[in-house]
Amino acid sequence: MKVLKFGGTSVGTAARMKDVAQLINDGTQKLIVLSAMSGTTNGLIEISDYFYKNNQAGALERVNMLEQKYDAIIDELYSSEDSKKEAKKQLSANFDLIRSHSKSVFTLFEEKAILAQGELISTAMFQLYLKEQGINSVHLPALDFMRIDKNAEPDTLFIAENLNKLLTASPDAEMYITQGFICRNFYGEIDNLQRGGSDYTASLVGAAIKSEEIQIWTDINGIHNNDPRYVENTKPVPVLHFEEAAELAYFGAKILHPTCILPAKLSNIPVRLLNTMEPTAPGTLISTTSKKGKIESVAAKDNITAIKIKSGRMLLAYGFLRKIFEIFESHHTSIDMITTSEVGVSVTIDNTKNLDNILNDLKKFGMVTVDRNMVIICVVGDLPFENVGFQAKVIGALKQIPIRMISYGGSNYNISFLIRAEDKKEALNALSRALFD
Ligand code: ADP
Ligand code: ASP
Ligand code: MG
């Protein structure tokens, strides 16, 4: 059975939902993962923000606006009065739950329960539409099988066991519908897989049911060779290796959640990226195949902080790097990029929550300097070192840009640069001109 995930824009209007229903209704059994309708998660974050600030009136005004938007969508989506009535009844329960937070203390826990309403609403509406169309679909509540552990990592055994139990209970459904993004945490509370996490749900679900293919349906024809938000005339990349796609997702290609390739890769399930607005376009196929020797795509990851530790004691000092890395580990901060020299080491992080503590600890080992507001530019392709010349080509493209760090050799799939945020657009465009024109 294939898993198909439809993102926010793909289900963003009544018309789009109807298109998706038509697109999936081809007589084969499928598991459908849906995001919240576009704009909803942002709207729910805004509502939460009012609750945090104890501005109940502001929050309730935003809730009413969102509910009115949904009322209009309901009127357009369903043809029968009964379906309209049923949808309004279901959605009032979601909106009443959001409103009920105006009377309680507001914490991260309540915010997560509010954020979950986006996906709960879109799946309820979609399923009701399928019912109206006479399509036999079964709801698989993500909160009953999608779980993360104490480290916020997916509990894959729990997910597989409980999801497969639900599927076995309804073997004859034409469609199974579940929510992307939302899950429960180790303590049983409502949680989520971070922004854009519906892609991650799709690949976790795909791996859990040993799916033949995971399809991510979005608003563009697959992964492009550069970020279309900053570069004009980008083109879709037809084929990518799991490793190439994982590098792009991790280093900023917004089209994929940063870690969503891993479950598919571990289970060797191909991932296909497709465009809901142009369903016949080939998109991108991610699998164990890659185009030999080709530079495929460029991505950028924002909000990077670089830390340099210079120490006279690094010479011949085994254990120096371990001590440095232990500091980051003890402050639960992962390192993205590393460069070393005889006298020092530079690393980058994107989570600066514990930066002050990290810096205090690092100062015991040497002179510490920090560069904020940096960007990692990541060039991805099949790049073994024997392919002479690709590094020169990439560095040549960036000859006008001040480069703070360069990293190659961690894998055969990526060469990364750290630059200033203000140079990002120029760097992405220069790379497109040099590598793809
Ligand atoms: P969805 O709501 O379907 O999950 P997203 O907005 O998360 O969709 O991702 C799709 C968007 O990702 C595209 O509209 C595009 O602007 C952006 N994007 C960024 N980098 C790339 C890339 N390399 N290839 C394709 N799209 C990209
Ligand atoms: N609705 C969530 C978000 O906007 C998850 C997703 O769309 O993937 O981040
Ligand atoms: Mg997304």
Side-chain angles (χ1 to χ4, degrees), residues 12-29:
T13 61
R16 297 243 63 87
M17 277 212 187
K18 289 182 189 181
D19 289 348
V20 170
Q22 203 182 2
L23 195 153
I24 61 175
N25 191 19
D26 63 2
T28 61
Q29 202 176 38

Side-chain angles (χ1 to χ4, degrees), residues 4 19 33 57 106 111 122 140 150 179 220 237 242 245 248 254 264 280 377 379 407:
L4 284 76
D19 289 348
V33 177
F106 201 80
E111 177 176 14
S122 65
L140 307 172
K150 270 187 185 160
Q179 296 80 23
I220 189 163
V237 180
F242 283 122
L248 285 171
K254 187 197 172 226
T280 50
I377 300 286
V379 178
S407 168

Side-chain angles (χ1 to χ4, degrees), residues 321-347:
L321 286 177
R322 178 177 54 76
K323 287 178 199 143
I324 300 292
F325 291 156
E326 267 172 5
I327 292 171
F328 287 89
E329 189 185 347
S330 69
H331 294 294
H332 302 283
T333 301
S334 63
I335 293 171
D336 288 327
M337 223 176 135
I338 311 164
T339 52
T340 62
S341 87
E342 172 50 26
V343 292
V345 53
S346 273
V347 302

Side-chain angles (χ1 to χ4, degrees), residues 149-407:
D149 64 18
K150 270 187 185 160
N151 300 316
E153 293 295 332
D155 184 342
T156 49
L157 289 178
F158 182 95
I159 296 168
E161 190 185 328
N162 289 282
L163 174 56
N164 285 305
K165 244 188 238 165
L166 289 172
L167 289 173
T168 322
S170 311
D172 300 324
E174 285 174 68
M175 308 285 165
Y176 299 96
I177 313 289
T178 193
Q179 296 80 23
F181 178 59
I182 65 174
C183 63
R184 287 195 188 272
N185 60 26
F186 181 77
Y187 308 98
E189 298 156 349
I190 295 178
D191 213 315
N192 61 58
L193 302 173
Q194 311 292 330
R195 293 307 304 270
S198 297
D199 303 331
Y200 202 15
T201 305
S203 69
L204 289 165
V205 162
I209 66 163
K210 301 190 171 49
S211 173
E212 59 191 281
E213 182 170 295
I214 297 159
Q215 298 183 348
I216 310 278
W217 288 81
T218 179
D219 58 0
I220 189 163
N221 293 345
I223 297 191
H224 277 214
N225 56 11
N226 208 326
D227 193 323
R229 295 167 299 175
Y230 299 95
V231 178
E232 281 176 20
N233 301 322
T234 57
K235 299 215 169 46
V237 180
V239 173
L240 280 176
H241 192 278
F242 283 122
E243 305 277 358
E244 293 172 319
E247 299 277 8
L248 285 171
Y250 188 75
F251 287 108
K254 187 197 172 226
I255 185 165
L256 284 173
H257 178 277
T259 52
C260 82
I261 291 301
L262 187 65
K265 184 183 107 179
L266 293 177
S267 303
N268 196 12
I269 302 171
V271 179
R272 211 181 275 278
L273 276 88
L274 293 160
N275 186 354
T276 324
M277 329 295 167
E278 206 187 322
T280 50
T284 302
L285 177 64
I286 302 164
S287 67
T288 49
T289 313
S290 62
K291 279 244 175 85
K292 291 289 158 240
K294 191 154 182 256
I295 297 178
E296 294 284 13
S297 185
V298 179
K301 184 168 173 163
D302 300 326
N303 299 320
I304 302 293
T305 299
I307 305 166
K308 185 191 283 172
I309 308 108
K310 270 178 80 176
S311 169
R313 284 176 292 157
M314 197 167 158
L315 177 67
L316 297 180
Y318 52 81
F320 177 79
L321 286 177
R322 178 177 54 76
K323 287 178 199 143
I324 300 292
F325 291 156
E326 267 172 5
I327 292 171
F328 287 89
E329 189 185 347
S330 69
H331 294 294
H332 302 283
T333 301
S334 63
I335 293 171
D336 288 327
M337 223 176 135
I338 311 164
T339 52
T340 62
S341 87
E342 172 50 26
V343 292
V345 53
S346 273
V347 302
T348 71
I349 59 172
D350 65 350
N351 175 1
T352 50
K353 207 170 111 201
N354 298 319
L355 183 61
D356 289 345
N357 293 332
I358 291 171
L359 296 180
N360 277 334
D361 288 352
L362 287 174
K363 281 176 187 159
K364 295 170 196 152
F365 293 98
M367 280 292 297
V368 179
T369 45
V370 180
D371 293 300
R372 290 165 217 264
N373 208 13
M374 307 294 281
V375 167
I376 294 176
I377 300 286
C378 174
V379 178
V380 163
D382 178 52
L383 309 171
F385 78 95
E386 296 88 349
N387 283 7
V388 178
F390 68 86
Q391 296 101 331
K393 208 166 161 187
V394 172
I395 292 172
L398 297 176
K399 61 177 182 267
Q400 308 289 355
I401 310 250
I403 301 174
R404 164 75 175 76
M405 283 165 75
I406 303 178
S407 168

